[in-house]
Amino acid sequence: MHAVRLNAPEQLEYCSIPVPVPGDMEVVCRVESVAICGTDPHIIHGEFPNFWPKAFPLIPGHEWAGVVETVGESAAALGWKKGDRVCGISHVGCGHCAMCMQGRYTLCDNYGHEEFGHRQYGHYSQGAYAEYMRSNVKAIARIPEDMDFNVASCMDPLSIALHMVMRSRIQPGDDVLINGSGGQGLMAILCARSLGAGKIMVSGSGFRLEVAQQFGAIPINYRDEDVVAKVKELTGGKGAKRVIECAGTAVGIRQAIDSVAKGGVVSMVSLPGGDIPVPIRRIVLEEIELVGNRANPNTLEKAISLAAQYPAEMQRLITHEFPLSEYVKAFDIFNGRKDNSLKVIMKPQL
Ligand SMILES: [Zn+2]
Ligand SMILES: [Zn+2]
């Protein structure tokens, strides 16, 4: 099969390798769509040495959807069969450690140990930039007949946005600031809407901020407005009770914290380049909570249901599609945010 393989940092190769064979609890799927994730360029640049990946070569890619082709024995006993339409996520917990036993399998104590059953596809385990993808059944879910594969490949990031928004402990009517109007920010709008948010304010700029507005958010252009002042103005001076931080810069994170109301929650997903100072005095005296979120524990099936409520918005997020062989062009458009790109999909079967 054809695959895009990372042989060393920055060394991607479109190559031909054997089709994988499923293990006992695994399926091998024909990959119909694989979306480029914001994390992928960082992995490709080699920014996480000896971690993502632990060793080369690695097939990146973890936002994928396709059709089950071959099924391991126990996976078949659980009801998985050839022809099932599915989508995947990256994390598979070991299933035995204390964190997995609490359902917090993205924090698995055996992270990185494939010998104990842990996987993170496209990060250190082999991923989906290929014609076929081998996955444990814990990391896939069935998709509705009428969900197309491009949308289905976005269920991984949508389920991350959902985890992040749920972890803000949003209540119906709460005003929310979503800081950042990239893919995660736009998906977070849909999650906040479905959880009954009051005002949804989004800080961003350009084309992406226009999409945020089309999704029902109040746009705040950080290039020509003071985000904190604007949020205060829109919330009667209080600030947003829930802040969803998807900007990932030092300035953006500070802005997120400064925009939250007393007793509020800042729920974060971005990975800034390093540690940054935060206003601890205010965090203590105003009981502000900063919540980190790692990926999407147990939110994949919820995200699939949620996406069905927003078919037009989900389609709007997908701006480009390329055969897998044109991955160089696809990355250029995605990384450069060229041509008003949001989710860029590669099609291994074309
Ligand atoms: Zn991703
Ligand atoms: Zn575990």
Side-chain angles (χ1 to χ4, degrees):
M1 67 173 183
H2 288 108
V4 172
R5 188 172 67 184
L6 186 65
N7 293 325
E10 307 286 8
Q11 304 289 312
L12 283 172
E13 179 194 10
Y14 186 65
C15 60
S16 185
I17 56 171
V19 174
V21 174
D24 186 48
M25 277 296 232
E26 292 176 334
V27 292
V28 168
C29 301
R30 192 173 76 234
V31 179
E32 293 288 343
S33 300
V34 54
I36 302 176
C37 173
T39 309
D40 294 346
H42 299 289
I43 293 173
I44 292 163
H45 294 155
E47 290 172 26
F48 306 96
N50 305 313
F51 181 60
W52 290 345
K54 296 204 296 182
F56 294 99
L58 173 81
I59 301 172
H62 58 274
E63 302 183 358
W64 67 276
V67 180
V68 173
E69 190 71 30
T70 50
V71 187
E73 198 175 332
S74 295
L78 288 173
W80 295 95
K81 57 186 189 307
K82 181 179 162 75
D84 286 345
R85 300 170 83 253
V86 298
C87 63
I89 56 171
S90 71
H91 283 266
V92 178
C94 76
H96 304 287
C97 73
M99 297 315 290
C100 283
M101 293 299 281
Q102 294 169 47
R104 305 184 74 176
Y105 59 87
T106 59
L107 307 179
C108 177
D109 285 334
N110 290 314
Y111 186 96
H113 290 279
E114 290 205 335
E115 70 276 23
F116 299 140
H118 185 275
R119 300 284 187 278
Q120 193 178 9
Y121 300 118
H123 291 71
Y124 81 93
S125 310
Q126 300 306 318
Y129 287 178
E131 283 180 75
Y132 292 90
M133 168 73 191
R134 180 170 72 133
S135 175
N136 190 290
V137 296
K138 286 193 273 190
I140 59 171
R142 290 188 180 84
I143 56 171
E145 277 307 314
D146 60 357
M147 179 178 279
D148 79 40
F149 290 115
N150 287 355
V151 168
S153 71
C154 296
M155 293 305 102
D156 173 80
L158 181 66
S159 57
I160 294 173
L162 182 57
H163 179 59
M164 172 172 54
V165 173
M166 286 167 65
R167 295 251 298 163
S168 77
R169 300 202 312 277
I170 186 171
Q171 300 293 311
D174 284 350
D175 292 336
V176 183
L177 168 68
I178 295 170
N179 204 40
S181 57
Q184 277 296 300
L186 294 171
M187 290 183 190
I189 297 173
L190 305 181
C191 300
R193 273 172 66 183
S194 79
L195 290 167
K199 281 188 186 120
I200 302 176
M201 300 158 274
V202 173
S203 77
S205 69
F207 149 80
R208 295 168 170 214
L209 191 60
E210 284 169 29
V211 178
Q213 190 170 14
Q214 289 158 14
F215 282 14
I218 300 167
I220 304 175
N221 190 327
Y222 70 82
R223 293 184 195 278
D224 42 54
E225 282 179 290
D226 177 334
V227 174
V228 179
K230 189 73 189 172
V231 170
K232 293 264 163 77
E233 182 192 318
L234 288 163
T235 54
K238 292 196 160 79
K241 284 196 86 169
R242 315 291 158 183
V243 175
I244 308 302
E245 196 330 276
C246 335
T249 60
V251 170
I253 290 169
R254 180 62 200 248
Q255 203 167 66
I257 297 169
D258 289 347
S259 300
V260 75
K262 254 190 239 177
V265 179
V266 181
S267 191
M268 335 175 63
V269 77
S270 297
L271 292 175
D275 289 340
I276 58 169
V278 291
I280 296 294
R281 282 180 150 200
R282 179 165 173 257
I283 288 169
V284 171
L285 294 173
E286 299 192 352
E287 295 200 348
I288 288 159
E289 293 172 60
L290 303 189
V291 177
N293 300 289
R294 186 155 187 184
N296 39 13
N298 305 304
T299 50
L300 179 59
E301 287 175 346
K302 291 182 179 75
I304 293 168
S305 298
L306 194 153
Q309 300 170 42
Y310 301 103
E313 287 89 345
M314 290 309 301
Q315 288 292 350
R316 184 68 190 82
L317 290 169
I318 295 158
T319 54
H320 293 77
E321 180 184 287
F322 294 98
L324 183 61
S325 56
E326 292 181 22
Y327 66 95
V328 174
K329 200 174 179 184
F331 275 117
D332 181 55
I333 288 193
F334 179 83
N335 290 337
R337 299 184 177 187
K338 292 180 182 169
D339 195 21
N340 288 344
S341 62
L342 284 165
K343 292 308 280 185
V344 176
I345 311 278
M346 293 191 287
K347 306 287 281 184
Q349 306 302 323
L350 293 184

Coordinates of all heavy atoms in Angstrom, one line a residue, residues 35-40 61-63 90 123 153 156-157 160 184 296 343, ligand 1:
A35 N -7.5 13.7 8.0 CA -7.3 15.2 8.1 C -6.0 15.5 8.7 O -5.5 14.8 9.6 CB -8.5 15.8 9.0
I36 N -5.4 16.6 8.2 CA -4.1 17.1 8.8 C -4.5 17.8 10.1 O -5.4 18.6 10.2 CB -3.4 18.0 7.8 CG1 -3.1 17.4 6.5 CG2 -2.1 18.5 8.5 CD1 -2.5 18.3 5.5
C37 N -3.7 17.4 11.1 CA -3.9 18.0 12.5 C -2.9 19.0 12.7 O -1.7 18.9 12.2 CB -3.8 16.9 13.5 SG -3.8 17.5 15.2
G38 N -3.2 20.0 13.5 CA -2.2 21.0 13.9 C -0.9 20.5 14.6 O 0.1 21.1 14.5
T39 N -1.1 19.3 15.2 CA 0.1 18.7 15.8 C 1.0 18.0 14.8 O 2.2 17.9 15.1 CB -0.4 17.6 16.8 OG1 -1.4 18.1 17.7 CG2 0.7 17.0 17.7
D40 N 0.5 17.6 13.7 CA 1.3 16.9 12.7 C 2.5 17.6 12.3 O 3.6 17.0 12.3 CB 0.4 16.5 11.5 CG -0.7 15.5 11.8 OD1 -0.7 14.9 12.9 OD2 -1.6 15.3 11.0
G61 N -0.5 10.9 11.2 CA -1.9 10.9 10.9 C -2.8 10.2 11.9 O -2.5 9.0 12.2
H62 N -3.8 10.9 12.5 CA -4.6 10.2 13.5 C -6.1 10.7 13.4 O -6.9 10.3 14.2 CB -4.1 10.5 14.9 CG -4.0 12.0 15.2 ND1 -2.9 12.7 14.9 CD2 -4.9 12.8 15.8 CE1 -3.1 14.0 15.2 NE2 -4.3 14.1 15.8
E63 N -6.3 11.6 12.5 CA -7.7 12.1 12.3 C -8.2 11.4 11.0 O -8.0 11.9 9.9 CB -7.8 13.6 12.2 CG -7.2 14.3 13.4 CD -7.2 15.8 13.3 OE1 -7.8 16.4 12.4 OE2 -6.8 16.4 14.3
S90 N -6.7 8.9 18.4 CA -5.3 8.5 18.5 C -5.0 7.6 19.7 O -4.1 6.8 19.6 CB -4.4 9.7 18.5 OG -4.5 10.5 19.7
H123 N 1.4 9.4 16.5 CA 2.3 10.1 17.4 C 3.6 9.3 17.6 O 4.6 9.8 17.4 CB 1.6 10.5 18.7 CG 0.5 11.5 18.5 ND1 -0.7 11.2 17.9 CD2 0.4 12.8 18.9 CE1 -1.5 12.3 17.9 NE2 -0.8 13.3 18.5
S153 N -13.7 12.2 9.5 CA -12.3 12.3 9.8 C -12.1 13.5 10.8 O -11.0 13.6 11.4 CB -11.4 12.5 8.6 OG -11.5 13.8 8.0
D156 N -12.2 13.2 15.5 CA -11.2 13.2 16.5 C -11.0 14.7 17.1 O -11.2 14.9 18.3 CB -9.9 12.7 15.9 CG -8.7 12.9 16.9 OD1 -8.6 12.1 17.8 OD2 -7.9 13.9 16.7
P157 N -10.8 15.7 16.2 CA -10.7 17.0 16.8 C -12.0 17.5 17.4 O -11.9 18.2 18.4 CB -10.2 17.9 15.6 CG -10.5 17.1 14.4 CD -10.4 15.7 14.8
I160 N -12.2 16.3 20.8 CA -11.3 17.0 21.7 C -11.9 18.4 22.1 O -11.9 18.7 23.3 CB -9.9 17.3 21.0 CG1 -9.2 15.9 20.8 CG2 -9.0 18.2 21.8 CD1 -7.9 16.0 20.0
Q184 N -10.0 24.2 16.3 CA -10.5 23.8 17.6 C -11.5 24.9 18.1 O -12.5 24.6 18.7 CB -9.3 23.7 18.6 CG -8.6 22.4 18.6 CD -9.5 21.2 19.0 OE1 -10.1 21.2 20.1 NE2 -9.8 20.3 18.2
N296 N -9.2 13.4 24.0 CA -10.7 13.2 23.9 C -11.2 11.9 24.6 O -11.8 11.1 24.0 CB -11.1 13.1 22.4 CG -10.1 12.3 21.6 OD1 -9.2 11.7 22.2 ND2 -10.1 12.4 20.3
K343 N -9.9 22.7 7.7 CA -9.4 21.3 7.7 C -9.0 20.9 6.2 O -9.8 21.1 5.3 CB -10.6 20.4 8.2 CG -10.9 20.6 9.7 CD -9.6 20.6 10.6 CE -9.2 19.1 10.9 NZ -8.1 19.2 11.9
Ligands
ZN1 ZN -5.4 15.9 15.9

